[in-house]
Amino acid sequence: MDETITLQQNIPTPAWGLRLVAANVRGGLATLYVEATGESAVKHQVTVGDTVPVGDRQARVEAITGGGHDGPPGRAAGRLTLALVEEPA
């Protein structure tokens, strides 16, 4: 299983048995939505170095790049990179 993933802004991405979405990427900040199947998405406001729960694991925000008004409307060139820091027991 990949322990690191880079999310492109506004593109739902399946990872670690969840659906992840990076939104509002700008100036080193982002909103991360974590959604398990059949459950409501959990919203996290993140910056580099933050640790957030992703299912039964923890992930650290490794990088936040781009965003703002770069790229076409609704698909700005923002990226958020997460790395697992804890495997499930």
Side-chain angles (χ1 to χ4, degrees):
M1 172 188 324
D2 287 339
E3 294 189 6
T4 302
I5 188 166
T6 299
L7 307 174
Q8 183 174 341
Q9 180 169 300
N10 299 329
I11 306 282
T13 303
W16 309 317
L18 304 162
R19 187 175 93 133
L20 307 174
V21 180
N24 303 318
V25 177
R26 75 217 171 281
L29 303 172
T31 303
L32 172 65
Y33 293 92
V34 179
E35 183 180 347
T37 302
E39 296 183 20
S40 297
V42 177
K43 177 180 172 181
H44 302 279
Q45 298 296 118
V46 297
T47 189
V48 173
D50 287 353
T51 300
V52 294
V54 288
D56 58 354
R57 303 168 178 98
Q58 295 287 313
R60 183 177 49 253
V61 179
E62 295 288 314
I64 297 174
T65 58
H69 296 290
D70 296 342
R75 297 284 188 217
R79 299 221 178 350
L80 182 143
T81 301
L82 295 171
L84 285 179
V85 293
E86 194 176 299
E87 288 291 334

